Amino acid sequence: MGVILPDFLVQRAEGYYCKYGDFFIDPMLPVHRAVVTHAHADHASRDQDTVYCTAPTARFMQYRYRRQAARNFVELLFHQPFSIGGVTLRFIPAGHMLGSAQVVMVHQGVTYLFTGDYKRQVDDTCEPLETVEADVLITESTFANPQVSHPDPVAEISKIKDIPHHVMIGTYALGKAQRLTALLNAYCPDRRVWVHHGILPFHRLYDEMGVPNLRYEPYDRRVLKNSAGHHVYLVPPIAFNSYYRAIPFVRMFASGWERLQRRNDLSLYISDHVDWNDILQYIAAVRPREIWTVHGDGRYLASHFAGSIAVKAIG
């Protein structure tokens, strides 16, 4: 059994740094080698030198940042081993959005698993979460709180079927909006899905990358005025906030955060992160010797596993 290196991954101003391979994971500042888990802007930043990622992540970054994305992209398939410095890495699916990856890192006989953002719920618009055993699990802890339990997304989206009005849903443009479209198509099939121009390019990228059967159309106010039935309009957060007095719509915002449900007409708790029980089940599958937490509050995990698994926060 190899010795776990307590400084294998540390938080620096640029991001999470591995000195044993001389690379960063999800850096927010420009670096020489960036391993990027997925294309959301709080994980994938511009002006990198070399980016290691999946093909969908590269495509989204190149669309969003154009020539400022990176000097060089190294696109990897899931499960394809590659080496940076003295560390052997591979990506496995994270289930968070299309192309999202966990990073499996092996050094001196010890396996470190960096989850990035991940979810266990079914999502037809991305690769499903995979699990491997690891000595160290480095997990996001966004909702690592025993009080948090995400409801069934099918039950949540089905609320819309009985609303006798058009519905406006605030949603993040990349990942969440495409998942909502698939859920609406499947469970509210009588509702047309209109897409804001700020979301539309990402839907089209999903189409191009083979995500099947997303049924949607660009938003057109004139069509809405003359449309029979009641339908759904997906808008990004900034547009949602500007539509606060949008009289023709019932307003909802798709998120796991309670604070984002306030001031809306109805709640819509659909999250793309693991909740407390998800994390516990994932830890049971990974069987780590240690747990390191990132992106949130790991104190509840530390309390829960006190005396059985060492838990520490690295950011």
Side-chain angles (χ1 to χ4, degrees):
M1 185 179 295
V3 176
I4 293 172
L5 299 171
D7 62 347
F8 179 79
L9 195 70
V10 298
Q11 187 174 33
R12 294 192 357 186
E14 300 93 330
Y16 297 106
Y17 179 63
C18 177
K19 70 178 183 181
Y20 300 96
D22 192 22
F23 60 85
F24 288 84
I25 298 180
D26 291 350
M28 288 292 93
L29 297 174
V31 299
H32 55 303
R33 297 186 191 95
V35 176
V36 176
T37 61
H38 65 285
H40 284 151
D42 57 339
H43 292 260
S45 60
R46 69 183 74 211
D47 292 325
Q48 304 301 334
D49 189 354
T50 297
V51 169
Y52 300 82
C53 64
T54 64
T57 296
R59 188 79 176 276
F60 295 134
M61 289 183 67
Q62 289 162 342
Y63 170 77
R64 175 172 277 156
Y65 299 132
R66 307 298 179 179
R67 294 181 179 179
Q68 292 179 308
R71 290 181 59 190
N72 181 47
F73 279 93
V74 179
E75 297 180 15
L76 286 308
L77 300 172
F78 287 116
H79 313 116
Q80 177 182 351
F82 61 103
S83 295
I84 308 177
V87 180
T88 300
L89 306 90
R90 70 182 188 276
F91 292 134
I92 62 172
H96 180 62
M97 60 164 286
L98 183 62
S100 63
Q102 303 174 82
V103 187
V104 182
M105 299 167 282
V106 181
H107 180 66
Q108 295 181 352
V110 177
T111 300
Y112 303 81
L113 173 60
F114 185 95
T115 66
D117 291 346
Y118 65 115
K119 74 172 180 286
R120 297 183 70 249
Q121 291 179 344
V122 173
D123 181 349
D124 292 337
T125 65
C126 70
E127 308 86 354
L129 176 73
E130 292 186 12
T131 307
V132 297
E133 292 188 4
D135 298 292
V136 178
L137 174 62
I138 309 167
T139 178
E140 66 138 315
S141 51
T142 307
F143 292 106
N145 185 323
Q147 300 301 314
V148 177
S149 178
H150 298 320
D152 175 19
V154 173
E156 287 294 288
I157 206 72
S158 295
K159 294 176 181 178
I160 293 170
K161 289 193 294 187
D162 297 324
I163 298 174
H165 304 283
H166 295 308
V167 175
M168 175 183 292
I169 302 179
T171 175
Y172 302 113
L174 176 57
K176 179 67 67 65
Q178 294 74 41
R179 184 187 183 195
L180 290 174
T181 300
L183 286 168
L184 288 163
N185 292 164
Y187 299 103
C188 304
D190 294 334
R191 301 257 178 169
R192 293 166 68 181
V193 179
W194 289 310
V195 177
H196 186 274
H197 65 84
I199 294 175
L200 187 61
F202 293 114
H203 271 60
R204 289 174 172 163
L205 284 172
Y206 267 61
D207 292 340
E208 291 173 12
M209 285 186 278
V211 175
N213 303 322
L214 289 182
R215 300 191 307 278
Y216 63 92
E217 52 197 289
Y219 174 68
D220 186 323
R221 185 173 178 81
R222 291 171 298 180
V223 173
L224 178 145
K225 284 185 174 182
N226 299 308
S227 174
H230 302 114
H231 306 295
V232 179
Y233 179 26
L234 302 181
V235 301
I238 190 169
F240 183 78
N241 293 334
S242 70
Y243 276 107
Y244 184 68
R245 297 187 180 279
I247 295 174
F249 297 100
V250 170
R251 299 172 74 257
M252 310 172 81
F253 196 100
S255 174
W257 291 106
E258 189 276 335
R259 59 182 169 80
L260 294 178
Q261 307 300 334
R262 300 170 190 163
R263 301 175 65 193
N264 300 328
D265 298 309
L266 291 171
S267 64
L268 189 62
Y269 282 97
I270 295 180
S271 176
D272 291 318
H273 295 264
V274 284
D275 65 13
W276 176 253
N277 286 325
D278 290 331
I279 294 176
L280 295 186
Q281 291 178 48
Y282 197 67
I283 290 169
V286 175
R287 300 175 62 189
R289 290 191 277 152
E290 293 187 13
I291 300 168
W292 301 353
T293 63
V294 296
H295 303 308
D297 186 349
R299 59 181 169 163
Y300 295 108
L301 287 173
S303 176
H304 183 83
F305 289 103
S308 59
I309 305 176
V311 179
K312 73 173 185 179
I314 63 170

